[in-house]
Structure formats: structure tokens, C-alpha cells
Amino acid sequence: AAVAASDEAAVAAAAAKKKDEGSALFRKGEFASAAERYGAAIELTPNDHTLWGNRSLSHIKRGAWASAARDAAKATELEPAFVKGWGRLVRARMELGQDDAAREALRTGLRLDVTNKELSKLAKELKTRAGAAAATAPAPGSGSAQRERPESLTQNPEQARIKEDVSAGEYV
């Protein structure tokens, strides 16, 4: 058992070193190399959601959207409360033109943290895209009903709008 613990510690140390190398490369703007280093760390410790999240961000920075989406999905699978992972998944899916899947990921992320600035920004982008698509489509009817907001939600209009949209299934 002592040998196994020693081996585990050595593997964890090697993974941490590769993660640190990846982070240093990321800070230099060497995103492809950073992704490779994070990948090497993932090989050693595949259940570390932060490694998958970091590699996803490296892919985002270099525009590798499919890889970014796969890694963000794995990060959120390993740690469902990883809000940054949900944001990265939303961004990647949006860039891949998968707006419905992006809305689903956004809804999950907002349920975890409705005040998250990145998710709020992505929500606005998705809503704008949906509005642009709707503007080019024929209108199904002429009336538009205004939803009433509960008094408690009007203290912060932006948060209230997002909560209202999520509650109404806007990001379903």
C-alpha cells in the first residue's frame, strides 16, 4: 500500500507539473502548446475537471471549437457544478452553430449561478442571435404579450431578465 501511495503521489506531481507548464504556455499566448501540455496532464489524471476545462479554454483561444466543446462537456460531466465549464461549452456550441445545445448548456450554467457575468454575456448573444433569426422569419401572430415580473426580481433588471427568460423556457 505504501508503494501504491508513493506511485499515486508521483503521478499527481507529474500531472501538476504538466498543468503548470500548460498554464505558463497559455499566459504566453501559446494556446496549441498549452493544450498539448494539459493533454499530457489529462493522460495522467483523467478525472481532473480543471484540466479538461483548461484545455477547453486553450482550444477556444485558438478557435478549435469542436475540441473545445468536447473538453468542456467532459469537464462538466466530471464536475457538474463547474460553472466555467458550462460557459465554455456554451461558447463552443454557439461557434459551431449549435444554438439549441448552447441554450441547454446555458440553462444549466445559469441554474448554478444566475449572476455569472460570462453566462449573462452569452445569454445576451444567444438572445440577439435568436432575435436576428426571428426578424428574418415570418411573424406567427401580430400580438406580443408582456410577462409580469415579480417585485422581488426587479431589484437588478439584468438578473431579473435572465431569471425571467430561464423561467419561461427561453433557453430551453
Side-chain angles (χ1 to χ4, degrees), residues 55-90:
R55 190 168 74 172
S56 176
L57 184 58
S58 296
H59 291 315
I60 287 171
K61 292 292 190 176
R62 58 191 200 91
W65 303 114
S67 295
R70 275 192 304 273
D71 284 358
K74 182 65 176 182
T76 57
E77 173 190 320
L78 291 169
E79 178 51 67
F82 184 43
V83 176
K84 287 181 183 180
W86 290 108
R88 292 168 190 165
L89 186 56
V90 172

PDB file of all heavy atoms in Angstrom, residues 55-90:
ATOM      1  N   ARG A  55      -7.898  22.901 -20.907  1.00  0.00           N
ATOM      2  CA  ARG A  55      -7.636  22.557 -22.309  1.00  0.00           C
ATOM      3  C   ARG A  55      -8.752  23.092 -23.199  1.00  0.00           C
ATOM      4  O   ARG A  55      -8.496  23.578 -24.305  1.00  0.00           O
ATOM      5  CB  ARG A  55      -7.461  21.047 -22.478  1.00  0.00           C
ATOM      6  CG  ARG A  55      -6.938  20.698 -23.877  1.00  0.00           C
ATOM      7  CD  ARG A  55      -6.474  19.287 -24.016  1.00  0.00           C
ATOM      8  NE  ARG A  55      -7.617  18.370 -24.059  1.00  0.00           N
ATOM      9  CZ  ARG A  55      -7.500  17.070 -24.328  1.00  0.00           C
ATOM     10  NH1 ARG A  55      -6.303  16.532 -24.547  1.00  0.00           N
ATOM     11  NH2 ARG A  55      -8.563  16.297 -24.350  1.00  0.00           N
ATOM     12  N   SER A  56      -9.991  23.052 -22.704  1.00  0.00           N
ATOM     13  CA  SER A  56     -11.101  23.613 -23.461  1.00  0.00           C
ATOM     14  C   SER A  56     -10.871  25.099 -23.742  1.00  0.00           C
ATOM     15  O   SER A  56     -11.063  25.564 -24.865  1.00  0.00           O
ATOM     16  CB  SER A  56     -12.417  23.412 -22.702  1.00  0.00           C
ATOM     17  OG  SER A  56     -13.473  24.036 -23.390  1.00  0.00           O
ATOM     18  N   LEU A  57     -10.443  25.839 -22.725  1.00  0.00           N
ATOM     19  CA  LEU A  57     -10.184  27.270 -22.916  1.00  0.00           C
ATOM     20  C   LEU A  57      -9.050  27.486 -23.913  1.00  0.00           C
ATOM     21  O   LEU A  57      -9.112  28.408 -24.733  1.00  0.00           O
ATOM     22  CB  LEU A  57      -9.880  27.946 -21.575  1.00  0.00           C
ATOM     23  CG  LEU A  57      -9.698  29.454 -21.629  1.00  0.00           C
ATOM     24  CD1 LEU A  57     -10.934  30.153 -22.196  1.00  0.00           C
ATOM     25  CD2 LEU A  57      -9.363  29.984 -20.243  1.00  0.00           C
ATOM     26  N   SER A  58      -8.028  26.645 -23.863  1.00  0.00           N
ATOM     27  CA  SER A  58      -6.936  26.752 -24.841  1.00  0.00           C
ATOM     28  C   SER A  58      -7.473  26.547 -26.255  1.00  0.00           C
ATOM     29  O   SER A  58      -7.090  27.269 -27.187  1.00  0.00           O
ATOM     30  CB  SER A  58      -5.851  25.705 -24.547  1.00  0.00           C
ATOM     31  OG  SER A  58      -5.250  25.947 -23.305  1.00  0.00           O
ATOM     32  N   HIS A  59      -8.365  25.574 -26.422  1.00  0.00           N
ATOM     33  CA  HIS A  59      -8.970  25.338 -27.737  1.00  0.00           C
ATOM     34  C   HIS A  59      -9.822  26.534 -28.162  1.00  0.00           C
ATOM     35  O   HIS A  59      -9.807  26.929 -29.333  1.00  0.00           O
ATOM     36  CB  HIS A  59      -9.829  24.074 -27.722  1.00  0.00           C
ATOM     37  CG  HIS A  59      -9.064  22.800 -27.581  1.00  0.00           C
ATOM     38  ND1 HIS A  59      -7.910  22.514 -28.289  1.00  0.00           N
ATOM     39  CD2 HIS A  59      -9.296  21.709 -26.811  1.00  0.00           C
ATOM     40  CE1 HIS A  59      -7.471  21.311 -27.969  1.00  0.00           C
ATOM     41  NE2 HIS A  59      -8.288  20.801 -27.065  1.00  0.00           N
ATOM     42  N   ILE A  60     -10.561  27.120 -27.220  1.00  0.00           N
ATOM     43  CA  ILE A  60     -11.377  28.303 -27.529  1.00  0.00           C
ATOM     44  C   ILE A  60     -10.489  29.426 -28.036  1.00  0.00           C
ATOM     45  O   ILE A  60     -10.789  30.080 -29.044  1.00  0.00           O
ATOM     46  CB  ILE A  60     -12.202  28.742 -26.302  1.00  0.00           C
ATOM     47  CG1 ILE A  60     -13.352  27.758 -26.073  1.00  0.00           C
ATOM     48  CG2 ILE A  60     -12.712  30.181 -26.450  1.00  0.00           C
ATOM     49  CD1 ILE A  60     -14.103  27.956 -24.772  1.00  0.00           C
ATOM     50  N   LYS A  61      -9.386  29.657 -27.356  1.00  0.00           N
ATOM     51  CA  LYS A  61      -8.489  30.761 -27.721  1.00  0.00           C
ATOM     52  C   LYS A  61      -7.894  30.590 -29.112  1.00  0.00           C
ATOM     53  O   LYS A  61      -7.535  31.567 -29.754  1.00  0.00           O
ATOM     54  CB  LYS A  61      -7.360  30.900 -26.691  1.00  0.00           C
ATOM     55  CG  LYS A  61      -7.828  31.375 -25.342  1.00  0.00           C
ATOM     56  CD  LYS A  61      -8.302  32.804 -25.413  1.00  0.00           C
ATOM     57  CE  LYS A  61      -8.540  33.366 -24.045  1.00  0.00           C
ATOM     58  NZ  LYS A  61      -8.908  34.788 -24.117  1.00  0.00           N
ATOM     59  N   ARG A  62      -7.812  29.341 -29.594  1.00  0.00           N
ATOM     60  CA  ARG A  62      -7.262  29.131 -30.936  1.00  0.00           C
ATOM     61  C   ARG A  62      -8.333  28.804 -31.957  1.00  0.00           C
ATOM     62  O   ARG A  62      -8.039  28.501 -33.110  1.00  0.00           O
ATOM     63  CB  ARG A  62      -6.154  28.081 -30.922  1.00  0.00           C
ATOM     64  CG  ARG A  62      -6.515  26.746 -30.418  1.00  0.00           C
ATOM     65  CD  ARG A  62      -5.289  25.846 -30.188  1.00  0.00           C
ATOM     66  NE  ARG A  62      -5.687  24.454 -30.166  1.00  0.00           N
ATOM     67  CZ  ARG A  62      -5.736  23.651 -31.204  1.00  0.00           C
ATOM     68  NH1 ARG A  62      -5.395  24.096 -32.393  1.00  0.00           N
ATOM     69  NH2 ARG A  62      -6.117  22.409 -31.087  1.00  0.00           N
ATOM     70  N   GLY A  63      -9.609  28.866 -31.540  1.00  0.00           N
ATOM     71  CA  GLY A  63     -10.706  28.666 -32.475  1.00  0.00           C
ATOM     72  C   GLY A  63     -10.969  27.219 -32.839  1.00  0.00           C
ATOM     73  O   GLY A  63     -11.611  26.952 -33.858  1.00  0.00           O
ATOM     74  N   ALA A  64     -10.508  26.285 -32.032  1.00  0.00           N
ATOM     75  CA  ALA A  64     -10.756  24.857 -32.273  1.00  0.00           C
ATOM     76  C   ALA A  64     -12.045  24.486 -31.546  1.00  0.00           C
ATOM     77  O   ALA A  64     -12.031  23.895 -30.460  1.00  0.00           O
ATOM     78  CB  ALA A  64      -9.567  24.028 -31.790  1.00  0.00           C
ATOM     79  N   TRP A  65     -13.164  24.858 -32.139  1.00  0.00           N
ATOM     80  CA  TRP A  65     -14.454  24.817 -31.448  1.00  0.00           C
ATOM     81  C   TRP A  65     -14.932  23.414 -31.110  1.00  0.00           C
ATOM     82  O   TRP A  65     -15.467  23.190 -30.028  1.00  0.00           O
ATOM     83  CB  TRP A  65     -15.501  25.564 -32.265  1.00  0.00           C
ATOM     84  CG  TRP A  65     -15.072  26.973 -32.513  1.00  0.00           C
ATOM     85  CD1 TRP A  65     -14.753  27.538 -33.712  1.00  0.00           C
ATOM     86  CD2 TRP A  65     -14.863  27.993 -31.533  1.00  0.00           C
ATOM     87  NE1 TRP A  65     -14.365  28.843 -33.536  1.00  0.00           N
ATOM     88  CE2 TRP A  65     -14.427  29.150 -32.208  1.00  0.00           C
ATOM     89  CE3 TRP A  65     -15.005  28.043 -30.148  1.00  0.00           C
ATOM     90  CZ2 TRP A  65     -14.133  30.342 -31.557  1.00  0.00           C
ATOM     91  CZ3 TRP A  65     -14.708  29.227 -29.495  1.00  0.00           C
ATOM     92  CH2 TRP A  65     -14.284  30.354 -30.197  1.00  0.00           C
ATOM     93  N   ALA A  66     -14.762  22.458 -32.009  1.00  0.00           N
ATOM     94  CA  ALA A  66     -15.214  21.087 -31.726  1.00  0.00           C
ATOM     95  C   ALA A  66     -14.423  20.486 -30.565  1.00  0.00           C
ATOM     96  O   ALA A  66     -14.994  19.856 -29.667  1.00  0.00           O
ATOM     97  CB  ALA A  66     -15.101  20.212 -32.974  1.00  0.00           C
ATOM     98  N   SER A  67     -13.118  20.710 -30.562  1.00  0.00           N
ATOM     99  CA  SER A  67     -12.285  20.221 -29.457  1.00  0.00           C
ATOM    100  C   SER A  67     -12.658  20.924 -28.157  1.00  0.00           C
ATOM    101  O   SER A  67     -12.707  20.298 -27.091  1.00  0.00           O
ATOM    102  CB  SER A  67     -10.801  20.444 -29.764  1.00  0.00           C
ATOM    103  OG  SER A  67     -10.409  19.668 -30.879  1.00  0.00           O
ATOM    104  N   ALA A  68     -12.924  22.215 -28.242  1.00  0.00           N
ATOM    105  CA  ALA A  68     -13.322  22.975 -27.058  1.00  0.00           C
ATOM    106  C   ALA A  68     -14.623  22.433 -26.488  1.00  0.00           C
ATOM    107  O   ALA A  68     -14.763  22.283 -25.259  1.00  0.00           O
ATOM    108  CB  ALA A  68     -13.467  24.460 -27.403  1.00  0.00           C
ATOM    109  N   ALA A  69     -15.576  22.136 -27.364  1.00  0.00           N
ATOM    110  CA  ALA A  69     -16.868  21.614 -26.904  1.00  0.00           C
ATOM    111  C   ALA A  69     -16.704  20.245 -26.248  1.00  0.00           C
ATOM    112  O   ALA A  69     -17.281  19.987 -25.186  1.00  0.00           O
ATOM    113  CB  ALA A  69     -17.853  21.528 -28.077  1.00  0.00           C
ATOM    114  N   ARG A  70     -15.904  19.369 -26.870  1.00  0.00           N
ATOM    115  CA  ARG A  70     -15.691  18.031 -26.291  1.00  0.00           C
ATOM    116  C   ARG A  70     -15.062  18.127 -24.905  1.00  0.00           C
ATOM    117  O   ARG A  70     -15.490  17.451 -23.965  1.00  0.00           O
ATOM    118  CB  ARG A  70     -14.794  17.185 -27.201  1.00  0.00           C
ATOM    119  CG  ARG A  70     -15.532  16.486 -28.307  1.00  0.00           C
ATOM    120  CD  ARG A  70     -14.667  15.443 -28.994  1.00  0.00           C
ATOM    121  NE  ARG A  70     -13.422  15.996 -29.516  1.00  0.00           N
ATOM    122  CZ  ARG A  70     -13.293  16.557 -30.714  1.00  0.00           C
ATOM    123  NH1 ARG A  70     -14.324  16.632 -31.525  1.00  0.00           N
ATOM    124  NH2 ARG A  70     -12.121  17.023 -31.109  1.00  0.00           N
ATOM    125  N   ASP A  71     -14.037  18.962 -24.764  1.00  0.00           N
ATOM    126  CA  ASP A  71     -13.353  19.076 -23.476  1.00  0.00           C
ATOM    127  C   ASP A  71     -14.233  19.743 -22.420  1.00  0.00           C
ATOM    128  O   ASP A  71     -14.233  19.331 -21.255  1.00  0.00           O
ATOM    129  CB  ASP A  71     -12.039  19.838 -23.623  1.00  0.00           C
ATOM    130  CG  ASP A  71     -10.944  18.997 -24.253  1.00  0.00           C
ATOM    131  OD1 ASP A  71     -11.183  17.802 -24.552  1.00  0.00           O
ATOM    132  OD2 ASP A  71      -9.835  19.529 -24.452  1.00  0.00           O
ATOM    133  N   ALA A  72     -15.001  20.752 -22.805  1.00  0.00           N
ATOM    134  CA  ALA A  72     -15.898  21.405 -21.845  1.00  0.00           C
ATOM    135  C   ALA A  72     -16.990  20.437 -21.402  1.00  0.00           C
ATOM    136  O   ALA A  72     -17.359  20.408 -20.224  1.00  0.00           O
ATOM    137  CB  ALA A  72     -16.514  22.664 -22.459  1.00  0.00           C
ATOM    138  N   ALA A  73     -17.485  19.643 -22.335  1.00  0.00           N
ATOM    139  CA  ALA A  73     -18.504  18.647 -21.977  1.00  0.00           C
ATOM    140  C   ALA A  73     -17.936  17.638 -20.984  1.00  0.00           C
ATOM    141  O   ALA A  73     -18.610  17.256 -20.016  1.00  0.00           O
ATOM    142  CB  ALA A  73     -19.024  17.942 -23.225  1.00  0.00           C
ATOM    143  N   LYS A  74     -16.702  17.213 -21.196  1.00  0.00           N
ATOM    144  CA  LYS A  74     -16.075  16.261 -20.271  1.00  0.00           C
ATOM    145  C   LYS A  74     -15.860  16.915 -18.907  1.00  0.00           C
ATOM    146  O   LYS A  74     -16.093  16.284 -17.870  1.00  0.00           O
ATOM    147  CB  LYS A  74     -14.745  15.760 -20.849  1.00  0.00           C
ATOM    148  CG  LYS A  74     -14.054  14.735 -19.980  1.00  0.00           C
ATOM    149  CD  LYS A  74     -14.865  13.448 -19.868  1.00  0.00           C
ATOM    150  CE  LYS A  74     -14.113  12.394 -19.084  1.00  0.00           C
ATOM    151  NZ  LYS A  74     -14.850  11.134 -18.994  1.00  0.00           N
ATOM    152  N   ALA A  75     -15.443  18.168 -18.888  1.00  0.00           N
ATOM    153  CA  ALA A  75     -15.230  18.878 -17.621  1.00  0.00           C
ATOM    154  C   ALA A  75     -16.527  18.957 -16.818  1.00  0.00           C
ATOM    155  O   ALA A  75     -16.534  18.713 -15.609  1.00  0.00           O
ATOM    156  CB  ALA A  75     -14.674  20.280 -17.880  1.00  0.00           C
ATOM    157  N   THR A  76     -17.627  19.267 -17.502  1.00  0.00           N
ATOM    158  CA  THR A  76     -18.910  19.383 -16.796  1.00  0.00           C
ATOM    159  C   THR A  76     -19.489  18.022 -16.443  1.00  0.00           C
ATOM    160  O   THR A  76     -20.258  17.910 -15.489  1.00  0.00           O
ATOM    161  CB  THR A  76     -19.928  20.205 -17.607  1.00  0.00           C
ATOM    162  OG1 THR A  76     -20.114  19.597 -18.888  1.00  0.00           O
ATOM    163  CG2 THR A  76     -19.456  21.653 -17.774  1.00  0.00           C
ATOM    164  N   GLU A  77     -19.107  16.995 -17.187  1.00  0.00           N
ATOM    165  CA  GLU A  77     -19.515  15.636 -16.824  1.00  0.00           C
ATOM    166  C   GLU A  77     -18.815  15.223 -15.524  1.00  0.00           C
ATOM    167  O   GLU A  77     -19.435  14.639 -14.635  1.00  0.00           O
ATOM    168  CB  GLU A  77     -19.140  14.668 -17.946  1.00  0.00           C
ATOM    169  CG  GLU A  77     -19.370  13.205 -17.612  1.00  0.00           C
ATOM    170  CD  GLU A  77     -18.753  12.283 -18.661  1.00  0.00           C
ATOM    171  OE1 GLU A  77     -18.836  12.601 -19.862  1.00  0.00           O
ATOM    172  OE2 GLU A  77     -18.185  11.249 -18.264  1.00  0.00           O
ATOM    173  N   LEU A  78     -17.525  15.542 -15.443  1.00  0.00           N
ATOM    174  CA  LEU A  78     -16.754  15.189 -14.245  1.00  0.00           C
ATOM    175  C   LEU A  78     -17.154  16.027 -13.036  1.00  0.00           C
ATOM    176  O   LEU A  78     -17.145  15.540 -11.906  1.00  0.00           O
ATOM    177  CB  LEU A  78     -15.254  15.363 -14.509  1.00  0.00           C
ATOM    178  CG  LEU A  78     -14.634  14.367 -15.484  1.00  0.00           C
ATOM    179  CD1 LEU A  78     -13.221  14.806 -15.867  1.00  0.00           C
ATOM    180  CD2 LEU A  78     -14.627  12.966 -14.881  1.00  0.00           C
ATOM    181  N   GLU A  79     -17.492  17.303 -13.278  1.00  0.00           N
ATOM    182  CA  GLU A  79     -17.880  18.202 -12.187  1.00  0.00           C
ATOM    183  C   GLU A  79     -19.059  19.056 -12.656  1.00  0.00           C
ATOM    184  O   GLU A  79     -18.874  20.140 -13.211  1.00  0.00           O
ATOM    185  CB  GLU A  79     -16.693  19.085 -11.773  1.00  0.00           C
ATOM    186  CG  GLU A  79     -17.028  20.086 -10.669  1.00  0.00           C
ATOM    187  CD  GLU A  79     -17.699  19.443  -9.474  1.00  0.00           C
ATOM    188  OE1 GLU A  79     -17.049  18.648  -8.780  1.00  0.00           O
ATOM    189  OE2 GLU A  79     -18.893  19.725  -9.248  1.00  0.00           O
ATOM    190  N   PRO A  80     -20.287  18.562 -12.437  1.00  0.00           N
ATOM    191  CA  PRO A  80     -21.472  19.273 -12.928  1.00  0.00           C
ATOM    192  C   PRO A  80     -21.642  20.697 -12.379  1.00  0.00           C
ATOM    193  O   PRO A  80     -22.320  21.504 -12.991  1.00  0.00           O
ATOM    194  CB  PRO A  80     -22.630  18.375 -12.474  1.00  0.00           C
ATOM    195  CG  PRO A  80     -22.017  17.016 -12.343  1.00  0.00           C
ATOM    196  CD  PRO A  80     -20.610  17.261 -11.864  1.00  0.00           C
ATOM    197  N   ALA A  81     -20.994  21.027 -11.276  1.00  0.00           N
ATOM    198  CA  ALA A  81     -21.108  22.373 -10.706  1.00  0.00           C
ATOM    199  C   ALA A  81     -20.021  23.317 -11.226  1.00  0.00           C
ATOM    200  O   ALA A  81     -19.896  24.441 -10.739  1.00  0.00           O
ATOM    201  CB  ALA A  81     -21.048  22.301  -9.179  1.00  0.00           C
ATOM    202  N   PHE A  82     -19.266  22.910 -12.226  1.00  0.00           N
ATOM    203  CA  PHE A  82     -18.170  23.703 -12.785  1.00  0.00           C
ATOM    204  C   PHE A  82     -18.742  24.746 -13.744  1.00  0.00           C
ATOM    205  O   PHE A  82     -18.877  24.515 -14.947  1.00  0.00           O
ATOM    206  CB  PHE A  82     -17.175  22.773 -13.480  1.00  0.00           C
ATOM    207  CG  PHE A  82     -15.944  23.426 -14.034  1.00  0.00           C
ATOM    208  CD1 PHE A  82     -15.240  24.388 -13.329  1.00  0.00           C
ATOM    209  CD2 PHE A  82     -15.464  23.052 -15.279  1.00  0.00           C
ATOM    210  CE1 PHE A  82     -14.090  24.970 -13.850  1.00  0.00           C
ATOM    211  CE2 PHE A  82     -14.318  23.610 -15.811  1.00  0.00           C
ATOM    212  CZ  PHE A  82     -13.631  24.580 -15.093  1.00  0.00           C
ATOM    213  N   VAL A  83     -19.082  25.911 -13.208  1.00  0.00           N
ATOM    214  CA  VAL A  83     -19.764  26.959 -13.973  1.00  0.00           C
ATOM    215  C   VAL A  83     -18.918  27.417 -15.162  1.00  0.00           C
ATOM    216  O   VAL A  83     -19.453  27.617 -16.265  1.00  0.00           O
ATOM    217  CB  VAL A  83     -20.142  28.139 -13.057  1.00  0.00           C
ATOM    218  CG1 VAL A  83     -20.757  29.274 -13.853  1.00  0.00           C
ATOM    219  CG2 VAL A  83     -21.106  27.677 -11.973  1.00  0.00           C
ATOM    220  N   LYS A  84     -17.625  27.579 -14.973  1.00  0.00           N
ATOM    221  CA  LYS A  84     -16.767  27.996 -16.092  1.00  0.00           C
ATOM    222  C   LYS A  84     -16.847  26.982 -17.236  1.00  0.00           C
ATOM    223  O   LYS A  84     -16.815  27.354 -18.408  1.00  0.00           O
ATOM    224  CB  LYS A  84     -15.313  28.124 -15.640  1.00  0.00           C
ATOM    225  CG  LYS A  84     -15.042  29.321 -14.776  1.00  0.00           C
ATOM    226  CD  LYS A  84     -13.558  29.343 -14.406  1.00  0.00           C
ATOM    227  CE  LYS A  84     -13.232  30.484 -13.482  1.00  0.00           C
ATOM    228  NZ  LYS A  84     -11.795  30.490 -13.128  1.00  0.00           N
ATOM    229  N   GLY A  85     -16.949  25.715 -16.882  1.00  0.00           N
ATOM    230  CA  GLY A  85     -17.064  24.675 -17.908  1.00  0.00           C
ATOM    231  C   GLY A  85     -18.330  24.839 -18.726  1.00  0.00           C
ATOM    232  O   GLY A  85     -18.319  24.676 -19.947  1.00  0.00           O
ATOM    233  N   TRP A  86     -19.427  25.173 -18.045  1.00  0.00           N
ATOM    234  CA  TRP A  86     -20.691  25.385 -18.765  1.00  0.00           C
ATOM    235  C   TRP A  86     -20.568  26.579 -19.703  1.00  0.00           C
ATOM    236  O   TRP A  86     -21.060  26.544 -20.839  1.00  0.00           O
ATOM    237  CB  TRP A  86     -21.852  25.552 -17.791  1.00  0.00           C
ATOM    238  CG  TRP A  86     -22.178  24.272 -17.098  1.00  0.00           C
ATOM    239  CD1 TRP A  86     -21.939  23.949 -15.787  1.00  0.00           C
ATOM    240  CD2 TRP A  86     -22.775  23.111 -17.682  1.00  0.00           C
ATOM    241  NE1 TRP A  86     -22.342  22.654 -15.535  1.00  0.00           N
ATOM    242  CE2 TRP A  86     -22.868  22.124 -16.675  1.00  0.00           C
ATOM    243  CE3 TRP A  86     -23.241  22.802 -18.961  1.00  0.00           C
ATOM    244  CZ2 TRP A  86     -23.407  20.857 -16.902  1.00  0.00           C
ATOM    245  CZ3 TRP A  86     -23.784  21.546 -19.193  1.00  0.00           C
ATOM    246  CH2 TRP A  86     -23.863  20.590 -18.173  1.00  0.00           C
ATOM    247  N   GLY A  87     -19.907  27.640 -19.244  1.00  0.00           N
ATOM    248  CA  GLY A  87     -19.709  28.805 -20.106  1.00  0.00           C
ATOM    249  C   GLY A  87     -18.893  28.470 -21.341  1.00  0.00           C
ATOM    250  O   GLY A  87     -19.205  28.911 -22.451  1.00  0.00           O
ATOM    251  N   ARG A  88     -17.850  27.674 -21.153  1.00  0.00           N
ATOM    252  CA  ARG A  88     -17.016  27.276 -22.287  1.00  0.00           C
ATOM    253  C   ARG A  88     -17.790  26.381 -23.252  1.00  0.00           C
ATOM    254  O   ARG A  88     -17.637  26.489 -24.474  1.00  0.00           O
ATOM    255  CB  ARG A  88     -15.750  26.588 -21.777  1.00  0.00           C
ATOM    256  CG  ARG A  88     -14.851  27.581 -21.052  1.00  0.00           C
ATOM    257  CD  ARG A  88     -13.740  26.959 -20.274  1.00  0.00           C
ATOM    258  NE  ARG A  88     -13.131  28.015 -19.458  1.00  0.00           N
ATOM    259  CZ  ARG A  88     -12.320  27.795 -18.454  1.00  0.00           C
ATOM    260  NH1 ARG A  88     -11.984  26.561 -18.119  1.00  0.00           N
ATOM    261  NH2 ARG A  88     -11.823  28.809 -17.770  1.00  0.00           N
ATOM    262  N   LEU A  89     -18.633  25.535 -22.707  1.00  0.00           N
ATOM    263  CA  LEU A  89     -19.461  24.673 -23.551  1.00  0.00           C
ATOM    264  C   LEU A  89     -20.457  25.505 -24.357  1.00  0.00           C
ATOM    265  O   LEU A  89     -20.658  25.268 -25.554  1.00  0.00           O
ATOM    266  CB  LEU A  89     -20.187  23.643 -22.684  1.00  0.00           C
ATOM    267  CG  LEU A  89     -20.988  22.568 -23.416  1.00  0.00           C
ATOM    268  CD1 LEU A  89     -20.129  21.798 -24.417  1.00  0.00           C
ATOM    269  CD2 LEU A  89     -21.614  21.617 -22.402  1.00  0.00           C
ATOM    270  N   VAL A  90     -21.060  26.503 -23.723  1.00  0.00           N
ATOM    271  CA  VAL A  90     -21.986  27.398 -24.428  1.00  0.00           C
ATOM    272  C   VAL A  90     -21.260  28.091 -25.580  1.00  0.00           C
ATOM    273  O   VAL A  90     -21.742  28.086 -26.727  1.00  0.00           O
ATOM    274  CB  VAL A  90     -22.605  28.440 -23.468  1.00  0.00           C
ATOM    275  CG1 VAL A  90     -23.414  29.481 -24.243  1.00  0.00           C
ATOM    276  CG2 VAL A  90     -23.465  27.768 -22.412  1.00  0.00           C
TER     277      VAL A  90
END
